[in-house]
Amino acid sequence: MKNRKEWMQVLHLSWPPILESLLLSLASYIDSAMLGAVGPAAQASVAVNISTVWLLGGLMSALGLGFTYVVANSVGARDYRRARSAARHAILGALLLGLALTGLVQAIAHPLPMWLGADPEIYDTARVYMRIIGASFVFQALSRACSSILRGAGQMKLPLVVNVGGNLVNIIGNTLLIFPTREVQILGFSFTMWGADMSVAGAAAATLASHVFAGVLLLLAVLRANTPIRYQKGERCPLDPRILKDAWRVMLPNALEQSCLSLGQIAMTSMVAPLGTISLAAHNQAVTAEGICYLPAMGLANSATTLVGQSLGAREPDRAQRYANMTCVAALGFMLVLSTLLFIFAEPLIRIFSRDAGVIELGRTVLRIVAFGEPFYGLNLVISGTLAGAGDSRHAFLYSAIGMWGIRTPVCLLMVKVLGWGLAGAWLAMAADLIVRGILCTLRLMSGKWKTAAAHR
């Protein structure tokens, strides 16, 4: 096979984040299924907050991505001191951002469900959930930043191991905290399992514990694991304006992109929430089920950022182009298969998360709608990762703004509020957005201009 060595490098760097995404999503599925057993009101209490959680999580991811670019570029250029300095900058930034977001969440948790038009019956549980999740943001910011800079240095396995461990903590916590004490049967054996009967608050507390676990261990991994960014005793890493400037070049557009997408999700939630608790629960469960489709693309996007960043740092733009093409081809292949399976098995997927007939029927319908947009979304994810590795995140932001605010939000408003198509109309708008973004990103990749975008600033 032509370029076999480079294909092997793509595979080597892609399988850990793909497996990590798969296992994390499995944990998310188990989380949703456990809340689904409690009832639609519990699911809706999480669903009304989830877009806000994504918004704030996107800001944390943007910080990590900015420093991933600096670390990958520095490692490619064999400037390991600069890579280590960038890692320290990222850790400090994550701590400050996490503290700021925690304060913000505590301030808005009370009015948030009212702002989003949720049913008054879930106000109290939604507020409790958000306050507990907000307490995790310092550790969540550390976890995301440390995972990102480890990947920028080419270390993909450590984030996999630690984040999967964190999700095991989440699953165990859910099992003990969501449900009351009960009789459990496993392989024919029956025993009494203690439970705190905390419902939605228990799910949030388990999530908090998982983020504390992952944040602490990943920080230790950055400081002590055998990588180019490992802490060197006696080495000083003062604040460097050039590192901050380079990270900001990727961080700001990505933060704007994540904010743009999440604010659009919040706007969409505010249009879906008045449709009722069943529609809101179906929306949340369908979003969870849909996530399995783009897991390979997320892993390949991480690889694209690292490989393209290191190639351009080594002044090899042709190699960067080959890596970009390879990750796109692989992502498209995965997405075509998985979107077909999503369409065929839409109902069994939703049944995993809910026993309510109304939730199942709505969830099945919207999953089959969005399946047509998933291959385009896979291209969007991978090419956005490529652009981040090249320091050209502003185009990813531009395309996301066009898709979310030029397509999804106005079409959703038309479908839901004017035509009365309900949740299905909202998801038609989502599919149209994904298709437009995928096409725009592909055109940018084909232009080749992204390879010199950072040099021209």
Side-chain angles (χ1 to χ4, degrees), residues 20 142-152 155 159 163 218:
E20 179 183 347
L142 270 177
S143 173
R144 293 189 187 218
C146 292
S147 292
S148 294
I149 56 182
L150 284 167
R151 292 184 184 118
Q155 174 52 265
N163 284 317
L218 283 166

Side-chain angles (χ1 to χ4, degrees), residues 106-161:
Q106 302 311 317
I108 68 170
H110 186 83
L112 187 61
M114 293 184 290
W115 291 347
L116 296 176
D119 193 315
E121 72 171 318
I122 67 169
Y123 280 1
D124 290 341
T125 51
R127 289 163 180 160
V128 169
Y129 178 85
M130 196 62 178
R131 286 193 174 112
I132 297 173
I133 291 296
S136 74
F137 280 167
V138 171
F139 299 98
Q140 190 175 161
L142 270 177
S143 173
R144 293 189 187 218
C146 292
S147 292
S148 294
I149 56 182
L150 284 167
R151 292 184 184 118
Q155 174 52 265
M156 301 292 188
K157 294 179 183 177
L158 274 173
L160 162 66
V161 172

Side-chain angles (χ1 to χ4, degrees), residues 419-438:
L419 300 179
W421 287 18
L423 191 63
W427 280 64
L428 280 168
M430 182 191 299
D433 162 32
L434 299 182
I435 291 169
V436 168
R437 272 194 271 158

